[in-house]
Amino acid sequence: MNKSPVIRLDDNDNVVVARVAISAGTAIADENVTTLQDVPLGHKVATRLIKEGEPVLKYNTVIGFASEDLVPGTWLHSHNITFDDFQRDYAFSKDYRPLELVAPDSRRTFLGYVREDGRIGTRNTLGVFVVGNCGATVARKIANHFDDRYLQAWPNVDYVVPYIHELGCGMEMTGEPMDLLRRTLAGYIRNPNVAGALVVALGCERNNIHGFFEQMGLEEGPMLRKIVIQDSGGTRKTIDEGIEIIESMLPAANLVSRQPVSVEHLSVGLQCGGSDGFSGLSANPALGVAMDLLVRQGGTAILSETTEIFGVEHTLTARAATPEVGQKLVDRINWWLEYNAGKDCQINGRVSPGNNAGGLANVLEKSLGGAKKGGNSPLMEVYEYAWPVTKHGLVFMDTPGYDPVSATGQVAGGANMIAFTTGRGSCFGSLPAPTVKLASNTPMYQRMEDDMDLNCGVVIDGDRTLQQMGEAILDKIIAVASGEKSKSEELGVGENEFVPWPLAVLA
């Protein structure tokens, strides 16, 4: 089949996207233009005259403004597209339409772990946490004792995971930074994928272990224990005691087995990293289709990365369940604009070098593709970082765009799965919520097949529709939720990707 070298996304667009690398002088018959420069794959070509100052339209949405007169056939990128703020109509709840959900007895199922309190996990793990970095080595040695060989005797326990971070000391003892750290740790301990937890402290951290338990309403019991190195006699003795504590939790954790449950219990954190010009054309919108399908089945999709929806937030506020929900999102955008004022940050226009090389001219274009991960469902709620997600449907959690920090907030909020799109290639993984990675283009998928769970590049190749790809993504998410190992799990990736948001400046 003879395929056009470009992809048109909307009849109103004044650009098309190069499906493949295009040489200068190539005639694009269906657009009636001839390229004037070489156009890398994933980059844009002008299809009509765009006068200086006129908006550049992709998906019929402004992604910037022409810095000069751009004649048809011109390669468009950050060298001739300017980034300028522009007035957006938030149109709070104007497009909100309640969803008609699939009847409960007709919903799809997966094989999940049912907790005594009704929460549903996709993995059955034990965690070894630290309140501050001073307990890191002890926690790692305790957890690493329970390797795959050891756990063969406990077939229903997936992993024993150390959760190490660099915070907890050298910071103010009260206020938002400490609250955020404690909320994140408690959220992981309460995540439905965690059957039991041991919390380790040196003993003199500013994030005091006893104060942490009290503030977060955590109570010690057979499946939640704490241990203080300075009280236990030092490193060696604490490691030995910690191993004994985890050993005591294994029999109870192993009693839980998988059983069929409704997909309404899936809570999927949505991430993208190492994006390219195809991410917003294949992997992201296909994931959006999958999430629309999941939401109609009663499940939850958590869109995040606030700095990477800047410029298209009005597409979310317009379908917010209430004006108050929409305003919450605008408030978080404004917080980020103030937080980043005068800094060389993405929200102020410039994307990372990798994103730029992949065809993204600025944050507006990246945001346009990034927001598509959430599909077209109504926006039901907006949460601050690591707050428990209690609403079903499409929700938003305020996080940075940095993938490990963002996903950590989502898992702390209760996500039991992560779906991660990438165009340049990412080796990300997460625990205890497994990550399904979605490649936006076929060449990268073939190059990094050991890291990618699905190839969404077949949409660009013209071999699958977005609808078909979205259905395949949901099938894969359900399979991994039911126990199939993701590529990142097979590679052992995820332990070091626990990164609570280091909001504070250390003192």
Side-chain angles (χ1 to χ4, degrees):
M1 181 168 60
N2 185 24
K3 299 175 183 175
S4 172
V6 299
I7 302 169
R8 171 164 287 281
L9 300 173
D10 191 282
D11 289 342
N12 295 312
D13 289 355
N14 48 23
V15 302
V16 290
V17 179
R19 187 193 301 273
V20 295
I22 305 173
S23 300
T26 299
I28 304 174
D30 45 355
E31 296 292 340
N32 197 29
V33 298
T34 299
T35 53
L36 302 179
Q37 298 89 18
D38 292 341
V39 182
L41 82 165
H43 288 232
K44 297 163 291 298
V45 182
T47 56
R48 66 167 178 82
L49 173 64
I50 309 174
K51 293 185 178 180
E52 182 179 351
E54 273 190 3
V56 178
L57 299 176
K58 180 179 177 183
Y59 276 120
N60 197 27
T61 302
V62 177
I63 61 167
F65 300 86
S67 62
E68 59 191 65
D69 288 347
L70 302 172
V71 300
T74 301
W75 164 45
L76 272 69
H77 199 40
S78 46
H79 62 287
N80 52 20
I81 300 177
T82 61
F83 171 82
D84 290 304
D85 196 11
F86 61 96
Q87 193 65 38
R88 291 176 283 282
D89 179 10
Y90 290 125
F92 293 122
S93 305
K94 178 177 70 71
D95 298 330
Y96 170 72
R97 302 290 183 275
L99 279 182
E100 186 174 334
L101 299 179
V102 174
D105 58 356
S106 299
R107 292 175 184 173
R108 298 186 63 179
T109 62
F110 73 100
L111 298 175
Y113 293 102
V114 181
R115 305 297 175 198
E116 289 184 359
D117 59 5
R119 294 174 303 131
I120 309 295
T122 65
R123 293 293 181 269
N124 192 35
T125 70
L126 297 173
V128 185
F129 295 84
V130 296
V131 292
N133 190 258
C134 295
T137 297
V138 167
R140 283 198 192 279
K141 288 185 178 294
I142 292 170
N144 292 344
H145 176 81
F146 301 93
D147 57 17
D148 291 342
R149 185 174 179 180
Y150 186 103
L151 291 178
Q152 286 177 359
W154 308 96
N156 291 333
V157 178
D158 293 300
Y159 311 107
V160 177
V161 185
Y163 293 100
I164 308 304
H165 57 90
E166 297 180 358
L167 302 175
C169 236
M171 57 190 290
E172 58 182 333
M173 293 177 64
T174 60
E176 185 178 13
M178 185 63 77
D179 288 345
L180 185 151
L181 174 59
R182 288 181 167 182
R183 192 164 71 235
T184 304
L185 292 170
Y188 265 69
I189 290 169
R190 291 180 169 127
N191 187 282
N193 289 3
V194 177
L198 169 64
V199 185
V200 178
L202 174 60
C204 53
E205 295 92 343
R206 295 181 74 80
N207 183 19
N208 176 266
I209 190 169
H210 308 298
F212 162 59
F213 267 62
E214 181 179 0
Q215 180 180 343
M216 301 314 302
L218 298 170
E219 295 184 5
E220 277 197 277
M223 301 303 285
L224 177 57
R225 301 282 300 277
K226 57 187 175 185
I227 190 169
V228 179
I229 298 169
Q230 291 169 346
D231 295 341
S232 295
T235 299
R236 180 70 264 165
K237 291 179 180 178
T238 307
I239 292 170
D240 292 342
E241 185 180 346
I243 288 171
E244 290 179 4
I245 290 172
I246 294 296
E247 286 175 339
S248 74
M249 294 181 181
L250 283 169
N254 195 60
L255 287 176
V256 185
S257 58
R258 291 186 181 275
Q259 57 184 282
V261 291
S262 169
V263 294
E264 69 193 65
H265 298 291
L266 286 179
S267 180
V268 184
L270 310 179
Q271 292 290 321
C272 57
S275 301
D276 69 348
F278 291 136
S279 294
L281 281 63
S282 60
N284 288 354
L287 179 54
V289 170
M291 292 302 98
D292 283 341
L293 293 170
L294 177 63
V295 164
R296 283 180 171 81
Q297 300 265 339
T300 302
I302 308 173
L303 185 63
S304 295
E305 303 174 297
T306 313
T307 57
E308 298 185 4
I309 60 131
F310 172 64
V312 299
E313 67 271 20
H314 57 292
T315 65
L316 292 167
T317 58
R319 61 182 198 266
T322 66
E324 291 76 17
V325 169
Q327 186 61 52
K328 285 182 184 179
L329 182 60
V330 175
D331 290 345
R332 299 317 300 165
I333 291 282
N334 290 336
W335 183 92
W336 277 99
L337 289 169
E338 182 178 347
Y339 183 67
N340 285 286
K343 299 175 184 175
D344 185 16
C345 297
Q346 182 167 268
I347 201 168
N348 293 325
R350 294 182 63 184
V351 294
S352 71
N355 292 162
N356 189 256
L360 299 176
N362 55 45
V363 68
L364 294 179
E365 186 174 9
K366 184 173 184 180
S367 295
L368 176 61
K372 290 188 176 296
K373 298 192 301 296
N376 296 303
S377 298
L379 179 66
M380 301 309 296
E381 187 55 279
V382 174
Y383 295 93
E384 293 193 30
Y385 186 89
W387 276 102
V389 173
T390 56
K391 285 274 190 181
H392 287 248
L394 173 65
V395 302
F396 189 89
M397 178 178 283
D398 178 36
T399 75
Y402 182 37
D403 310 317
V405 175
S406 182
T408 294
Q410 293 173 331
V411 176
N416 52 17
M417 290 288 298
I418 301 291
F420 192 115
T421 67
T422 181
R424 303 282 290 173
S426 170
C427 300
F428 182 83
S430 56
L431 293 170
T435 292
V436 172
K437 287 203 293 300
L438 310 170
S440 76
N441 64 87
T442 299
M444 185 274 287
Y445 175 81
Q446 292 173 338
R447 199 167 58 247
M448 299 184 66
E449 193 168 351
D450 286 346
D451 290 274
M452 299 295 131
D453 293 283
L454 283 178
N455 177 24
C456 299
V458 292
V459 173
I460 303 299
D461 302 337
D463 297 327
R464 269 192 181 183
T465 65
L466 283 173
Q467 182 66 31
Q468 291 169 333
M469 196 69 238
E471 292 169 357
I473 291 171
L474 183 57
D475 288 345
K476 175 60 74 170
I477 288 173
I478 289 173
V480 173
S482 298
E484 177 185 302
K485 282 197 172 184
S486 69
K487 292 291 184 70
S488 61
E489 285 182 289
E490 290 176 348
L491 291 166
V493 180
E495 179 181 308
N496 294 313
E497 284 71 17
F498 173 68
V499 188
W501 187 1
L503 185 62
V505 175
L506 298 183

